[in-house]
Amino acid sequence: EPEVTQTPSHQVTQMGQEVILRCVPISNHLYFYWYRQILGQKVEFLVSFYNNEISEKSEIFDDQFSVERPDGSNFTLKIRSTKLEDSAMYFCASSEERLNTEAFFGQGTRLTVV
Amino acid sequence: GESVGLHLPTLSVQEGDNSIINCAYSNSASDYFIWYKQESGKGPQFIIDIRSNMDKRQGQRVTVLLNKTVKHLSLQIAATQPGDSAVYFCAERGWGNTPLVFGKGTRLSVIA
């Protein structure tokens, strides 16, 4: 069964450093997403990506964040100058269509900023 | 603002009993609803979805009910098993370019 894969599973970084979280969406999907989940809280939308550009983003997704699809398979989230409060699980998801279809989630990357 | 929320944060059921997890939403424009299951250390896993033109949909051991009048969504799990223990999230999406909005989650614990 096709699945969304994310690497690394756990990333520890020092405050102020840059991190890149990587995702390989399901191959025939067209829409890609990043969500985050702070420990014990709900899943929060960060950004959606379609046709090689951001289609929408939340208030959380400020200039500290960027996304890229560097090739035909990878989808990355870059966090510049990480802060302690960026510590969370980051989930990548993909879907075939934008409306009325479910998003398939990866296993997540646990980011710990120390 | 618009929000999706859950009535109960935790639910404990005996193995073999039926479970009902509830969700309230406030966006009357919501058109599509999903239930996700999240096991510890894993990503949300799709369980079942329902569109706003339906009021009930059944899957394998699961049923989702949608009451648009009172903006309420529920997930029923029949013959609950230990493997059903997880956090369950409802999520909704409206028309157009609205992102999937998640509720806060209900932890289901199955007592063997």
Side-chain angles (χ1 to χ4, degrees):
Chain A
E1 183 176 331
E3 59 181 10
V4 176
T5 57
Q6 291 185 241
T7 55
S9 57
H10 191 186
Q11 174 86 47
V12 181
T13 188
Q14 289 205 332
M15 192 168 51
Q17 295 297 305
E18 174 182 289
V19 295
I20 298 176
L21 310 183
R22 303 180 190 280
C23 169
V24 179
I26 295 173
S27 62
N28 64 333
H29 285 186
L30 302 176
Y31 294 89
F32 314 119
Y33 313 88
W34 283 102
Y35 288 79
R36 80 172 185 190
Q37 185 180 32
I38 295 171
L39 185 63
Q41 298 187 24
K42 65 181 180 181
V43 178
E44 300 174 291
F45 169 76
L46 292 178
V47 65
S48 61
F49 192 87
Y50 171 72
N51 199 25
N52 287 320
E53 62 182 20
I54 291 173
S55 53
E56 55 193 300
K57 58 185 180 180
S58 70
E59 293 177 349
I60 303 169
F61 193 88
D62 58 21
D63 292 342
Q64 184 193 6
F65 296 88
S66 61
V67 290
E68 190 178 32
R69 187 157 166 82
D71 53 42
S73 61
N74 290 285
F75 179 51
T76 63
L77 174 68
K78 181 187 292 186
I79 309 175
R80 288 179 283 273
S81 188
T82 50
K83 306 186 287 287
L84 295 177
E85 53 265 37
D86 294 327
S87 296
M89 283 290 287
Y90 287 81
F91 293 107
C92 174
S94 67
S95 66
E96 292 181 343
E97 301 172 27
R98 183 64 181 86
L99 298 174
N100 292 337
T101 57
E102 70 270 25
F104 292 83
F105 284 77
Q107 297 293 293
T109 293
R110 179 171 297 282
L111 176 65
T112 303
V113 183
V114 297
Chain B
E2 301 292 358
S3 64
V4 177
L6 290 164
H7 293 308
L8 297 173
T10 59
L11 178 66
S12 295
V13 298
Q14 291 286 338
E15 182 178 358
D17 286 353
N18 297 333
S19 303
I20 300 176
I21 302 172
N22 296 303
C23 176
Y25 66 95
S26 58
N27 185 356
S28 57
S30 295
D31 180 63
Y32 178 61
F33 305 88
I34 308 174
W35 280 101
Y36 283 96
K37 172 186 180 183
Q38 186 178 27
E39 296 174 286
S40 180
K42 296 185 178 181
Q45 178 185 2
F46 171 84
I47 302 173
I48 193 168
D49 60 359
I50 189 168
R51 291 164 175 71
S52 62
N53 61 350
M54 304 170 68
D55 53 21
K56 180 179 180 179
R57 191 164 187 226
Q58 289 183 294
Q60 186 178 16
R61 280 203 307 120
V62 295
T63 300
V64 55
L65 298 177
L66 175 63
N67 186 331
K68 294 182 288 295
T69 302
V70 295
K71 299 191 191 71
H72 185 265
L73 190 71
S74 69
L75 176 69
Q76 300 178 2
I77 305 173
T80 313
Q81 301 169 1
D84 295 327
S85 294
V87 177
Y88 290 80
F89 293 93
C90 64
E92 59 91 10
R93 171 182 288 154
W95 280 103
N97 290 323
T98 57
L100 202 59
V101 175
F102 281 78
K104 207 168 184 181
T106 292
R107 180 173 299 281
L108 175 65
S109 296
V110 181
I111 304 165

